[in-house]
């Protein structure tokens, strides 16, 4: 460790020399590492977002029960009471036409103007039932037994579709993580090997002078780290920028999609890409060093 | 310091480069190794540096046994040596000073100590005015002196200089020999291979003459 600090200036010069001797390859490797990490960042963000959306929707497991218009308001209250007694129901609340309308205005946001085209309120009153998610099927079965209920709407369908989507994104995520791992390792180890080949003579001299292998290898490790961490930083910056755009696109027109806070998402991305790029940079350099050593 | 017994070296292609070498070198000695081209001078130095290994016989340099398959042992041996190579082995694209510093970067000195020692070594070989010159812009004799400075800066127990006067005119060759002789002290031995026996006007030291891979004769210089 002392070697390393005392010779910091030398190592930096070595890094510069190693990079400069094969500048074009190094620049291209840097760019492709950055792009690979960027794709990873975007897919991982999609994965996290869909997980968040599912978690929120699951937390809000609810059923809307619509009743026949013919029944009186006293009967409706009785009905709500009966529903409350069903095992698995947390809450049952009557939502009248006015409230239903107000909610839709809220959900639609700016687009609520379309509601003005209706002469009268197009929404029916219903009973909003908050339930324990795991009891969903039992509650639905019992609801159907109650008289006065015309039809029931639940969000199982939406949840199911979201889960499928999340499954696909997760699968993509695994593929991308594997691809990122392999290609970063290949790129970095290849560039390190090339650097070593270009510096054979100097390495040989250092060996004759008795330099420790770690001293000889360190500049190459630095080059590998520089490429992968540099690429990671560039990718994170691009991803943060892209996410800002995505959030702007989603949050305005689709305010009801519950996205995780952007700051948290970006912070997690930074942590993930930083640790992954450090790990891959070190591993790639070591691969390159070993490959060069076995080949000498 | 060097202890060679019945030393033989046969290269992979079958060439017997050295055979039955018995040699003993004490600290503070000055030893010239001479002999015709192909007589085994460089091969002997390669053995001392652990670049080649004895095919038979034993060799001990600075208390390190020179045997194959002992990488860390050989590395420590090399750290204690001050090698001056026939082809210099200086790093191109770097200044004289940087090349000399490279000789002692992995000895645990602070960056200031490394720089100061390198400057002193450069002064010792009379090249302080070339500190910042790139290696590829130096003359043959100057490169030779930089490579000696790189060896000296390591404060080695043994300096091994292979043909340091080759390709140099008489004045320059004498100058190089003077610098190398001045490195000899009670702790440091110096071994120089050379063709230029006519330049050796020594009153001290030993002259070993190799021929066909064996010691032909040894002269004490008085
Ligand atoms: N790597 C090698 N493989 C095979 N034979 C070699 C090798 N190196 C040297 N030789 C042979 O070993 C013998 C001794 O060579 P060496 O280089 O030690 O001679 P030298 O005394 O240094 O000669 P010169 O004065 O020309 O430098 C020569 O016959 C040479 O051809
Ligand atoms: Mg020779």
């Amino acid at each position: 460790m002392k070697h390393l600090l005392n010779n910091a200036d030398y190592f930096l010069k070595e890094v510069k020399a190693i990079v400069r001797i094969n500048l074009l390859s190094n620049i291209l490797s840097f760019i492709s590492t950055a792009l690979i990490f960027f794709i990873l960042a975007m897919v991982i963000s999609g994965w996290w977002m869909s997980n968040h959306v599912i978690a929120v929707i699951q937390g809000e497991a609810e059923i809307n029960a619509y009743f026949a218009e013919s029944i009186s308001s006293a009967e409706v209250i009785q009905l709500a009471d009966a529903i409350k007694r069903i095992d698995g129901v947390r809450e049952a609340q009557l939502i009248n036409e006015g409230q239903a309308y107000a909610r839709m205005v809220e959900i639609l946001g700016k687009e609520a103007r379309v509601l003005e085209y209706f002469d009268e309120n197009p929404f029916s009153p219903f009973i909003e039932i908050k339930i324990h998610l795991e009891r969903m099927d039992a509650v639905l079965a019992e609801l159907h037994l109650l008289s006065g209920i015309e039809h029931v709407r639940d969000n199982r369908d939406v949840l199911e579709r979201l889960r499928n989507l999340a499954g696909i994104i997760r699968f993509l995520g695994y593929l991308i993580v594997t691809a990122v791992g392999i290609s970063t390792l290949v790129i970095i180890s290849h560039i390190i090997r090339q650097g070593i080949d270009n510096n054979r003579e100097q390495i040989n001299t250092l060996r004759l002078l008795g330099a420790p292998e770690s001293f000889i290898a360190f500049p190459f490790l630095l080059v590998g780290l520089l490429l992968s961490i540099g690429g990671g930083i560039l990718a994170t910056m691009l991803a943060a920028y892209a996410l800002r755009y995505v959030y702007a696109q989603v949050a305005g027109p689709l305010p009801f999609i519950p996205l995780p806070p952007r700051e948290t998402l970006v912070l997690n991305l930074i942590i993930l890409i930083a640790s992954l790029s450090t790990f891959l940079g070190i591993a790639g350099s070591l691969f390159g060093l070993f490959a060069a050593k076995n080949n000498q | 310091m060097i202890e060679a017994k019945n030393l033989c070296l046969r290269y992979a292609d079958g060439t017997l480069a050295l055979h039955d070498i018995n040699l003993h070198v004490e600290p503070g000695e000055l030893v010239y190794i001479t002999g015709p081209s192909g007589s085994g001078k460089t091969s002997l130095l390669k053995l001392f540096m652990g670049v080649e290994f004895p095919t038979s016989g034993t060799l001990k340099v600075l208390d390190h046994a020179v045997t194959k398959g002992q990488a860390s042992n050989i590395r420590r041996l090399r750290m204690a040596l001050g090698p001056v190579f026939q082809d210099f082995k200086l790093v191109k694209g770097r200044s004289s000073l940087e090349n000399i510093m490279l000789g002692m970067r992995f000895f645990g000195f602070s960056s200031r100590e490394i720089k100061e020692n390198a400057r002193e070594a450069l002064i010792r070989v009379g090249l302080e005015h070339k500190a910042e010159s790139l290696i590829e812009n130096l003359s043959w004799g100057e490169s030779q002196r930089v490579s000696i400075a790189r060896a000296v800066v390591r404060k080695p127990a043994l300096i091994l200089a292979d043909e340091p006067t080759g390709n140099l005119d008489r004045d320059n060759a004498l100058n190089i020999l003077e610098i190398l002789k001045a490195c000899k002290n009670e702790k440091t031995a110096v071994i120089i291979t050379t063709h230029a026996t006519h330049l050796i006007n020594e009153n001290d030291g030993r002259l070993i003459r190799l021929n066909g891979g064996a010691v032909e004769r040894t002269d004490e210089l008085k």
Side-chain angles (χ1 to χ4, degrees):
Chain A
M1 202 56 214
K2 210 166 138 221
H3 287 352
L4 306 187
L5 287 180
N6 287 336
N7 292 305
D9 55 335
Y10 165 74
F11 287 127
L12 290 184
K13 258 194 192 150
E14 281 299 290
V15 166
K16 248 198 267 171
I18 294 168
V19 169
R20 202 176 316 139
I21 214 170
N22 221 328
L23 192 60
L24 189 64
S25 301
N26 276 282
I27 291 175
L28 292 179
S29 309
F30 174 74
I31 293 174
S32 58
T33 316
L35 288 179
I36 290 169
F37 277 126
F38 174 69
I39 296 171
L40 174 80
M42 293 319 285
V43 172
I44 296 279
S45 302
W47 180 358
W48 284 340
M49 282 183 195
S50 60
N51 279 351
H52 181 82
V53 170
I54 291 171
V56 169
I57 292 182
Q58 266 178 351
E60 287 169 0
E62 62 176 44
I63 297 170
N64 294 342
Y66 292 83
F67 41 83
E69 276 178 34
S70 55
I71 67 175
S72 71
S73 46
E75 282 170 312
V76 172
I77 290 166
Q78 272 179 5
L79 195 57
D81 280 340
I83 290 171
K84 272 183 201 156
R85 282 194 298 273
I86 297 176
D87 188 22
V89 170
R90 289 189 290 141
E91 216 179 286
Q93 192 192 359
L94 176 65
I95 305 294
N96 64 29
E97 291 105 319
Q99 286 164 325
Y101 187 93
R103 279 187 182 193
M104 196 43 91
V105 168
E106 201 184 314
I107 287 174
L108 289 178
K110 271 187 287 183
E111 311 301 321
R113 279 190 311 261
V114 298
L115 296 178
E116 289 162 15
Y117 293 107
F118 295 99
D119 288 336
E120 40 183 286
N121 186 349
F123 300 106
S124 319
F126 59 90
I127 299 172
E128 182 184 76
I129 310 164
K130 297 221 158 83
I131 60 159
H132 296 292
L133 185 72
E134 63 283 0
R135 302 275 307 151
M136 169 87 85
D137 290 332
V139 172
L140 282 174
E142 290 210 40
L143 277 179
H144 286 294
L145 298 178
L146 291 177
S147 62
I149 290 190
E150 228 168 35
H151 77 270
V152 173
R153 210 167 67 189
D154 62 65
N155 58 4
R156 269 191 309 187
D157 250 22
V158 182
L159 259 182
E160 201 49 45
R161 257 181 240 173
L162 272 176
R163 278 211 196 96
N164 289 341
L165 187 65
I168 292 169
I169 295 180
R170 190 169 57 218
F171 177 68
L172 268 180
Y174 289 143
L175 281 187
I176 298 276
V177 169
T178 315
V180 168
I182 294 173
S183 45
T184 313
L185 284 181
V186 169
I187 291 173
I188 303 283
S189 65
H190 194 80
I191 204 89
I192 294 300
R193 251 185 88 161
Q194 221 174 30
I196 290 171
D197 279 340
N198 291 330
N199 281 275
R200 279 258 171 248
E201 220 179 311
Q202 186 179 343
I203 291 172
N204 195 33
T205 302
L206 281 168
R207 291 216 170 106
L208 287 172
L209 292 172
E213 290 297 301
S214 58
F215 180 88
I216 297 174
F218 193 64
F220 295 98
L221 186 69
L222 281 184
V223 171
L225 275 177
L226 184 77
L227 284 178
S228 76
I229 295 182
I233 290 174
L234 185 60
T236 315
M237 276 162 34
L238 283 177
Y241 193 76
L243 281 174
R244 203 163 74 189
Y245 180 78
V246 169
Y247 269 65
Q249 291 301 306
V250 172
L254 306 166
F256 49 87
I257 293 186
L259 291 177
R262 187 160 58 92
E263 292 73 25
T264 324
L265 193 70
V266 171
L267 185 69
N268 286 341
L269 271 186
I270 291 174
I271 294 169
L272 178 86
I273 303 281
S275 32
L276 201 64
S277 62
T278 308
F279 169 75
L280 289 175
I282 292 175
S285 310
L286 292 182
F287 274 169
L289 286 165
F290 280 122
K293 212 173 156 79
N294 292 335
N295 201 29
Q296 69 190 340
Chain B
M1 166 145 295
I2 293 184
E3 198 63 73
K5 289 204 186 99
N6 304 325
L7 198 59
C8 289
L9 172 64
R10 189 185 288 280
Y11 283 110
D13 67 355
T15 312
L16 185 60
L18 295 165
H19 58 93
D20 292 317
I21 305 278
N22 287 292
L23 186 66
H24 179 86
V25 179
E26 288 286 323
E29 255 198 283
L30 173 62
V31 179
Y32 295 96
I33 298 176
T34 181
S37 185
S39 58
K41 304 181 292 293
T42 299
S43 300
L44 192 57
L45 291 197
K46 281 185 178 168
L47 283 171
F48 294 164
M49 293 180 205
V51 175
E52 296 292 341
F53 299 95
T55 355
S56 69
T58 58
L59 175 62
K60 238 181 170 180
V61 181
L62 302 174
D63 286 328
H64 296 277
V66 178
T67 43
K68 216 172 182 156
Q70 303 230 299
S72 71
N73 183 39
I74 296 297
R75 196 181 69 68
R76 269 180 279 125
L77 163 63
R78 289 177 181 176
M79 272 182 90
L81 297 175
V84 179
F85 302 100
Q86 208 166 352
D87 58 351
F88 312 137
K89 299 202 189 297
L90 295 168
V91 179
K92 296 193 191 69
R94 301 301 164 86
S95 68
S96 327
L97 192 66
E98 281 173 322
N99 265 279
I100 298 168
M101 288 162 75
L102 191 56
M104 62 175 304
R105 284 202 181 271
F106 33 86
F107 283 73
F109 293 109
S110 74
S111 54
R112 222 194 60 225
E113 287 169 310
I114 294 173
K115 203 162 204 152
E116 278 171 7
N117 280 286
R119 278 202 187 278
E120 271 170 38
L122 207 53
I123 291 170
R124 223 167 133 175
V125 298
L127 276 182
E128 57 272 39
H129 58 295
K130 293 283 183 184
E132 304 305 329
S133 303
L134 295 182
I135 288 302
E136 51 269 44
N137 299 335
L138 297 182
S139 74
W140 196 275
E142 287 165 344
S143 302
Q144 190 61 267
R145 283 190 276 168
V146 172
S147 81
I148 292 173
R150 184 181 63 187
V152 168
V153 79
R154 296 152 63 89
K155 305 211 166 31
L158 177 61
I159 291 180
L160 300 171
D162 194 8
E163 215 75 62
T165 57
N167 273 329
L168 290 180
D169 61 45
R170 188 188 154 80
D171 283 353
N172 266 308
L174 281 173
N175 172 252
I176 294 290
L177 287 179
E178 283 310 316
I179 293 170
L180 283 169
K181 279 190 288 188
C183 297
K184 189 198 75 163
N185 60 37
E186 58 282 4
K187 274 181 273 169
T188 305
V190 178
I191 298 180
I192 304 170
T193 75
T194 182
H195 282 117
T197 39
H198 58 282
L199 294 178
I200 305 170
N201 54 346
E202 226 21 73
N203 43 21
D204 152 45
R206 233 192 311 169
L207 179 65
I208 296 173
R209 193 178 163 79
L210 290 183
N211 200 352
V215 177
E216 192 179 63
R217 59 181 286 186
T218 302
D219 293 309
E220 296 295 333
L221 302 169
K222 290 212 179 70

